[in-house]
Amino acid sequence: MAGKRGRGDAAEDVEAVLDGLYTTPPSGFVARREELAVAARTAGRAEDARRIHGARRPTLAAWAANLLLRSQPEESHRFLELGQALRRAHRDLDPAGVRELSAQRRMLVAALTRQTADLALDAGQRLSAAVLTEVTATLQAVLADPAAADRWAGGRLDSALVPPSGFPPGLPSGPARESAVRSGPAHPPRTDELARVRRERLTRAREAADAAARRLDDRRVEHTAAEAAVQRARDHHGRARQEVEDTEEALRRAREALRTAAGEEQRAQERYRTTADALARAEREARRAAREAERLEPSPEDDRE
């Protein structure tokens, strides 16, 4: 039982790790992802490491939408409920309900878009007008499409969502409304074939964007590793150069000492030769003096006289 609880805790841990990862700003996403993957791998959780490493870096708009969901859970839950009610009103052709909910939708989407911009700014990221447009489109898709709502509710968007083209802002009022209720929308939706082609093109575009994002992540990881290798090589080169400089300085000092010792030896040799010559002269002089003294020494016959 303890083992099972441990595995469950680990599964919960990796889910929490992924949830937190997707609120990391895109600029730091790859580095944080690799750090978490290495930590999981070091802890012996290879499957968790694989899942973490496979996480796709979100676009700026997707990250901001994830941040909104995580930072404002109650408002996000009410927003998801509004989407359910709005889709039900459209499905039931309830003009009054659509009109009332559409007004709420417009105000709430605008308010949440502004709130998302503030949350991103608090996190150190200013959102451009183009990114805020993608955030608004994502929120509209959440209201219109239950699949989009489920994706956003998961808190791990990696790209902005696109609302379906057949979701109108509201139903008309008066006689036009009655006509709409009886006959459907004045402008028929696109044919199934055109919608299918559009979905296929959108799918291919998203797949291409995802593939490009993965390649970008891979290149960034490779660039980071290469940058680290360059720094290590620079450090090694610096240490080797210092060793060469130290060795050259030691060699210079040794050569100077050698020259000094050679000079001292030469001077000592000269002193040795000078003192040897002086010694030889002194010995000769001493022998001459001894002979002269011996010569001048009186003999015994001289003493008798």
Side-chain angles (χ1 to χ4, degrees):
M1 293 298 293
K4 291 182 179 179
R5 284 196 299 272
R7 286 191 292 273
D9 291 344
E12 292 175 3
D13 287 346
V14 73
E15 297 301 328
V17 165
L18 288 170
D19 288 342
L21 177 60
Y22 273 93
T23 59
T24 302
S27 59
F29 182 89
V30 173
R32 180 60 176 160
R33 181 189 66 188
E34 298 311 306
E35 177 185 348
L36 294 170
V38 168
R41 193 176 299 111
T42 302
R45 305 199 315 271
E47 179 60 22
D48 291 351
R50 186 193 64 77
R51 287 190 60 195
I52 294 170
H53 182 70
R56 296 179 179 177
R57 185 177 71 92
T59 64
L60 198 54
W63 164 76
N66 293 332
L67 186 63
L68 173 67
L69 178 79
R70 299 295 179 190
S71 302
Q72 304 296 330
E74 292 183 4
E75 292 185 21
S76 299
H77 180 69
R78 288 196 296 270
F79 189 70
L80 289 168
E81 289 182 337
L82 173 63
Q84 293 175 352
L86 189 56
R87 291 191 298 272
R88 185 165 52 250
H90 275 280
R91 186 174 59 249
D92 296 342
L93 293 177
D94 177 7
V98 168
R99 187 165 55 251
E100 178 184 355
L101 294 172
S102 294
Q104 294 182 34
R105 181 201 69 176
R106 286 190 293 271
M107 291 187 296
L108 193 53
V109 166
L112 289 180
T113 299
R114 289 193 298 270
Q115 192 167 18
T116 301
D118 292 339
L119 290 169
L121 191 60
D122 291 341
Q125 182 66 60
R126 184 181 297 276
L127 302 184
S128 67
V131 172
L132 288 175
T133 299
E134 292 184 4
V135 171
T136 298
T138 296
L139 294 175
Q140 291 172 341
V142 169
L143 291 177
D145 183 2
D150 289 343
R151 287 186 62 192
W152 182 61
R156 300 178 191 171
L157 291 181
D158 54 36
S159 60
L161 302 176
V162 179
S165 58
F167 190 70
L171 291 178
S173 59
R177 181 194 65 191
E178 299 301 326
S179 175
V181 172
R182 289 193 302 269
S183 305
H187 299 285
R190 300 174 67 179
T191 64
D192 291 343
E193 180 62 21
L194 289 175
R196 182 186 64 79
V197 170
R198 180 181 180 278
R199 286 195 300 271
E200 290 178 354
R201 291 178 61 188
L202 178 60
T203 298
R204 288 195 297 271
R206 285 176 173 170
E207 288 175 350
D210 289 343
R214 287 194 298 272
R215 288 194 297 271
L216 177 61
D217 288 346
D218 292 341
R219 297 299 85 76
R220 282 177 172 159
V221 170
E222 292 173 359
H223 176 69
T224 299
E227 187 176 24
V230 167
Q231 187 57 50
R232 288 194 300 270
R234 283 176 178 167
D235 293 343
H236 183 257
H237 179 258
R239 290 192 298 270
R241 181 173 55 193
Q242 186 60 49
E243 290 176 1
V244 168
E245 291 175 355
D246 292 344
T247 301
E248 288 177 344
E249 177 61 21
L251 180 60
R252 186 192 63 78
R253 290 195 299 268
R255 285 173 173 166
E256 182 64 27
L258 178 62
R259 285 192 295 270
T260 300
E264 292 175 351
E265 181 185 11
Q266 183 177 3
R267 289 190 294 274
Q269 289 286 358
E270 291 174 353
R271 287 196 300 272
Y272 173 78
R273 287 193 294 270
T274 299
T275 55
D277 292 344
L279 175 61
R281 288 194 300 272
E283 288 176 343
R284 288 194 298 271
E285 291 175 356
R287 286 194 295 271
R288 284 197 299 270
R291 286 195 298 271
E292 182 64 19
E294 182 180 356
R295 185 180 65 79
L296 296 175
E297 185 74 26
S299 62
E301 289 81 3
D302 292 340
D303 289 339
R304 285 195 297 270
E305 291 177 358

